[in-house]
Amino acid sequence: MILSIIDSINEFIEPAKAWVIDNHNNPFMWLAFVLIGIAVFAITYNALNKDH
């Protein structure tokens, strides 16, 4: 059961992994990854630090 879930995740991620490897020298891709990471951090930080 769990191994089939992991296999399904690996099959889903493999094309994205290949795309990242093919475009590893694209600065816009890395900039987008950094901006998405900052956005996720900011959303999480704001959600966890609500003043009641």
Side-chain angles (χ1 to χ4, degrees):
M1 173 75 184
I2 293 176
L3 289 177
S4 66
I5 293 170
I6 293 172
D7 288 338
S8 298
I9 292 171
N10 283 337
E11 289 175 10
F12 178 74
I13 290 178
E14 193 63 37
K17 183 174 136 183
W19 182 82
V20 170
I21 291 171
D22 290 341
N23 294 298
H24 71 277
N25 60 350
N26 184 351
F28 295 112
M29 178 187 70
W30 294 112
L31 179 63
F33 286 167
V34 168
L35 292 176
I36 291 169
I38 291 171
V40 168
F41 175 79
I43 291 168
T44 305
Y45 183 81
N46 289 333
L48 294 175
N49 288 313
K50 295 273 184 193
D51 289 333
H52 294 283

